[in-house]
Amino acid sequence: MAPHASYPLSSRARHMRASEIRELLKLVDRPGMISFAGGIPDPSLLDHTAFRAAYDAMLADAATGASALQYSATEGYLPLRGWLAERMTTRGIACSAENILVTHGSQQALDLIGKLFLDPGDRVVTQAPTYLGALQSFSAFEPAFANLRHIAAGGPVKLIYLVPDFANPTGRCMELSERIAALDLAERHGAIIAEDAAYTELRYEGEDLPPIAALDQARVGGIEEARTLHCGTFSKTLSPGLRLGWICGPAALIHRLTLIKQASDLHTATANQRAMHAVALSGFDARVARARRIYRQRRDWMLEALERHAPPGVTWTRPRGGLFIWLTLPAGTDAAALLQKALARNIAFVPGGAFFADGSGANTLRLSFSLADEAKSAAGIARLCELIAGEGAHARPEAVSGTGRATTHQHP
């Protein structure tokens, strides 16, 4: 809905736009819809029984219940911060609770980081494509975006935003050499790295790679001298609805981020933090292991369906973790126009242009396999590929692959 012309909006508000993903989520409950759009965890993997027990136990005791329903520290519930610090330390990010700020999901973490560092015109380096929510969040501060792969030219860099593990939207994992190169870039420019680790827990193949924050610490001798803010979330593992994430970084930066959060929302919901801590203590790793098994199978079903049905000229990623497969269609194919035809046939996906700061990527799209069982993958991908084949007949001849078959790309 367009704002009334006389409303005295700020310049940043005038440039805000709706998330294409959030808009598409309004359609997923339509009868017969097969949605490959949102990266939504399978609700059957969200342990409502464990959360109900956690809330019941919390509220059964008068003192604990009163504390859970009360205001609390902006930094977050101390036992939860301690649990997170221990977990970060096992990944090579040696820290304590004072290095952790609990946030309303990792989305708020990005907003706080943008508020702390960005002025209009500051240069933000990202992967291209990159997470739409980060582009939305940082755009409010009116920066200039730059592509990590084409950063040689241009002015100074203020912030580098990266999703190193199974990135949204591509599913790609940065290799060790790329992580080191990003850290080198940050050091040359005196920039801060915002490391988004939303999908790190969801690895299905291969060996874990060190977080950029761990590489940073090893280089400078500890977290207090580091320039990386490591952002995590429970949304892809235990619950997206409780909106709980965190930032791990130097205490001096955590203190400043805490002041900004105080002005925003005072603190993250106390009861939710207590419940999350209880559920995490009662079997975090077992729950994540189960999710990995299920999502890996769903990834394989979607990849198999693409192998069977994708027309010539279409390529896709073969992610070793996360929730997404990234398709590149023949040049000249418009994924946004394709979406309208797909919706008419009860298929939803996210056009790739939304993930590029410069609006490119018109011939790309993102597929999520998190909710797609074998039957949905088979039927939905077959229907989608039929539509792509029809679009390909109208694409420029030079855009079609000469191999005569779709190809896949491996990523570590």
Side-chain angles (χ1 to χ4, degrees):
M1 179 180 295
H4 192 280
S6 64
Y7 293 161
L9 300 181
S10 67
S11 61
R12 66 175 60 93
R14 286 196 296 271
H15 291 93
M16 289 181 179
R17 59 188 177 89
S19 163
E20 294 190 29
I21 299 171
R22 305 305 302 177
E23 294 299 309
L24 280 172
L25 290 181
K26 299 174 184 179
L27 303 173
V28 299
D29 291 329
R30 195 166 79 185
M33 177 67 68
I34 298 177
S35 177
F36 302 137
I40 304 172
D42 183 341
S44 71
L45 296 174
L46 308 179
D47 195 341
H48 69 279
T49 301
F51 278 105
R52 181 175 61 193
Y55 281 105
D56 285 348
M58 181 195 315
L59 299 174
D61 179 83
T64 303
S67 177
L69 298 176
Q70 186 56 278
Y71 289 115
S72 60
T74 303
E75 292 85 349
Y77 180 50
L78 183 57
L80 177 60
R81 291 164 61 212
W83 183 88
L84 289 168
E86 290 177 4
R87 195 158 187 91
M88 294 295 94
T89 299
T90 64
R91 295 179 183 168
I93 309 172
C95 63
S96 65
E98 71 175 359
N99 300 112
I100 303 286
L101 171 64
V102 178
T103 61
H104 276 111
S106 59
Q107 190 64 37
Q108 186 187 46
L110 299 180
D111 179 66
L112 297 176
I113 290 170
K115 287 176 178 175
L116 181 59
F117 293 107
L118 295 180
D119 293 312
D122 283 343
R123 202 153 66 130
V124 176
V125 171
T126 72
Q127 296 149 306
T130 193
Y131 172 48
L132 170 59
L135 293 177
Q136 285 185 300
S137 181
F138 296 145
S139 290
F141 309 105
E142 304 174 87
F145 288 103
N147 186 337
L148 180 63
R149 293 187 178 183
H150 306 117
I151 197 59
V157 174
K158 191 79 167 288
L159 181 67
I160 302 172
Y161 169 75
L162 301 170
V163 189
D165 297 318
F166 323 120
N168 181 359
T170 63
R172 188 176 185 277
C173 187
M174 292 178 69
E175 297 185 16
L176 179 59
S177 61
E178 295 176 294
R179 297 170 193 234
I180 293 172
L183 191 53
D184 291 342
L185 176 67
E187 287 188 349
R188 287 198 303 273
H189 287 266
I192 293 295
I193 296 178
E195 179 178 30
D196 190 339
Y199 303 94
T200 298
E201 298 284 358
L202 300 180
R203 174 177 282 277
Y204 315 133
E205 299 172 10
E207 297 296 323
D208 289 337
L209 292 172
I212 295 173
L215 297 171
D216 193 357
Q217 280 195 34
R219 180 177 293 192
V220 300
I223 192 169
E224 302 307 338
E225 291 74 37
R227 62 177 66 255
T228 303
L229 291 170
H230 184 90
C231 304
T233 180
F234 288 108
S235 292
K236 304 302 184 290
T237 53
L238 297 186
S239 167
L242 293 189
R243 307 306 304 130
L244 283 172
W246 65 91
I247 307 173
C248 178
L253 292 182
I254 293 298
H255 173 69
R256 290 184 176 276
L257 290 163
T258 300
L259 295 179
I260 297 171
K261 181 173 169 62
Q262 282 178 352
S264 175
D265 63 4
L266 300 183
H267 65 88
T268 303
T270 312
N272 289 354
Q273 292 186 72
R274 285 176 171 265
M276 188 67 78
H277 179 240
V279 173
L281 285 177
S282 70
F284 179 86
D285 289 327
R287 293 184 178 93
V288 171
R290 178 171 178 250
R292 286 189 189 124
R293 290 193 298 271
I294 291 173
Y295 290 142
R296 175 174 180 161
Q297 180 65 79
R298 292 180 180 179
R299 177 206 62 176
D300 292 346
W301 284 330
M302 184 170 284
L303 290 172
E304 290 165 4
L306 286 167
E307 289 282 5
R308 287 196 304 270
H309 300 292
V314 178
T315 61
W316 57 89
T317 56
R318 189 190 188 283
R320 296 186 178 182
L323 301 177
F324 307 109
I325 295 172
W326 181 251
L327 265 64
T328 301
L329 310 179
T333 307
D334 186 346
L338 179 69
L339 174 64
Q340 300 309 310
K341 297 177 182 179
L343 290 173
R345 297 192 61 182
N346 280 341
I347 302 293
F349 60 84
V350 182
F355 301 97
F356 289 86
D358 62 2
S360 60
N363 66 320
T364 60
L365 61 90
R366 191 194 77 178
L367 301 175
S368 171
F369 49 81
S370 61
L371 300 180
D373 59 22
E374 187 172 15
K376 286 182 179 178
S377 271
I381 294 299
R383 206 178 304 168
L384 176 61
C385 287
E386 181 182 340
L387 290 171
I388 293 172
E391 294 294 300
H394 306 291
R396 296 194 301 271
E398 66 273 17
V400 180
S401 169
T403 64
R405 62 186 300 275
T407 58
T408 60
H409 300 293
Q410 292 278 354
H411 290 300

